[in-house]
Amino acid sequence: MKAVILAGGFGSRLSEETALRPKPMVEIGGKPMLWHIMKIYSAHGIDDFVICLGYKGYLIKEYFANYALHTADVSFDLGAGTTEVHRSETEPWRVTLVDTGDETMTGGRLKRVLPYVGDEDFCFTYGDGVADIDISALVEFHRAQGRTATVTAVQPPGRFGALDVDGARVREFEEKPRGDGGWMNGGFFVLSPEVGKYIEGAGTVWEQEPMRALAVDGQLACYRHEGFWQAMDTLRDRNHLDELWGSAAPWRMWG
């Protein structure tokens, strides 16, 4: 099974980092966010990736072009012009990098890479969010539903403490509780290639017309993930994820 990852946006809300690199290349614990997402899928046996490039996409190409070299012990014989690899920790990934345009919207990017996906169902997610999600269970759920698309619904934690107030008295206080009971789009989709017929062109936003039409047609299933989920929208989010990586990162499900 393949996984398609969006990695072409500008990430304007994280401009402190994205002025120099694409948002998925912002580092958490010394590794790009994109790497963390790929490791989540790889932990469940998905090692074939299609990456939707856009803004500064050449940096992602350069990263993977040098990836094996950066994860290995090597000897360079400068006189002979040879390289000897002694030990490598490179993952068994196949990575297809597709230039989907700087200004293309999320739906347009997805449609642009469908020829690289093939005729089978595939995973699809954003390049800025991690979760301790069971990808295998998600795929099994999608297949059992028999629908064109499945979206993972999440309830992110609140940013502030919550007060249960009775007049002038606080009855209960909870530090950064989960959401208010509503569920939101957390990415981590499983899709059939048939979603292409719901996308008109480069200017189509996946989260608007396509998802609405899929829902109206009864073709959008919802997989509820009640565990950890965190998007990296701001510098504060990046710092929080970096702190978690230094202790016990919930999304680290690989050895």
Side-chain angles (χ1 to χ4, degrees):
M1 195 173 197
K2 296 184 179 182
V4 174
I5 304 175
L6 291 170
F10 291 98
S12 56
R13 294 177 62 191
L14 191 58
S15 60
E16 300 92 340
E17 294 275 1
T18 57
L20 300 175
R21 51 188 165 180
K23 191 176 181 183
M25 294 304 291
V26 173
E27 293 185 354
I28 303 297
K31 295 285 188 179
M33 169 61 83
L34 182 60
W35 178 88
H36 289 268
I37 296 168
M38 294 170 72
K39 291 289 282 188
I40 292 171
Y41 282 105
S42 187
H44 292 272
I46 297 177
D47 294 314
D48 197 343
F49 299 94
V50 179
I51 312 298
C52 304
L53 304 182
Y55 171 68
K56 295 186 181 295
Y58 65 91
L59 291 175
I60 298 179
K61 288 182 179 180
E62 291 174 358
Y63 175 77
F64 285 107
N66 296 303
Y67 187 80
L69 181 64
H70 291 169
T71 57
D73 294 338
V74 295
S75 291
F76 297 103
D77 188 323
L78 302 183
T82 60
T83 302
E84 180 182 0
V85 177
H86 303 289
R87 179 188 61 85
S88 177
E89 296 181 354
T90 305
E91 292 86 353
W93 293 342
R94 183 176 189 274
V95 186
T96 302
L97 303 170
V98 184
D99 185 359
T100 58
D102 283 4
E103 304 294 337
T104 308
M105 296 293 102
T106 50
R109 295 189 191 281
L110 173 56
K111 189 160 189 173
R112 173 72 175 78
V113 303
L114 286 179
Y116 296 93
V117 171
D119 299 326
E120 303 296 326
D121 289 351
F122 61 96
C123 293
F124 173 56
T125 197
Y126 306 107
D128 63 355
V130 290
D132 60 351
I133 185 171
D134 187 337
I135 298 293
S136 299
L138 167 62
V139 171
E140 183 179 349
F141 173 87
H142 171 77
R143 289 172 173 165
Q145 296 300 306
R147 292 183 168 87
T148 304
T150 296
V151 58
T152 295
V154 298
Q155 288 184 302
R159 289 193 179 274
F160 307 101
L163 298 176
D164 181 2
V165 178
D166 179 13
R169 182 176 68 91
V170 176
R171 291 186 296 195
E172 184 179 1
F173 172 77
E174 186 176 358
E175 175 67 10
K176 296 184 179 179
R178 297 184 65 84
D180 59 3
W183 294 84
M184 62 171 281
N185 168 19
F188 294 99
F189 300 89
V190 183
L191 307 176
S192 160
E194 294 180 8
V195 297
K197 67 183 182 182
Y198 290 89
I199 304 172
E200 290 189 7
T204 302
V205 178
W206 166 248
E207 299 80 9
Q208 295 180 6
E209 293 87 354
M211 287 188 66
R212 291 170 184 166
L214 283 162
V216 169
D217 291 349
Q219 291 299 313
L220 183 60
C222 174
Y223 178 82
R224 298 192 180 194
H225 174 62
E226 297 182 349
F228 174 85
W229 177 91
Q230 178 68 58
M232 184 182 64
D233 289 327
T234 65
L235 185 60
R236 176 178 178 175
D237 294 332
R238 193 216 73 86
N239 292 340
H240 175 59
L241 288 168
D242 201 56
E243 291 174 2
L244 288 177
W245 182 255
S247 53
W251 69 93
R252 183 169 185 167
M253 300 174 290
W254 55 92

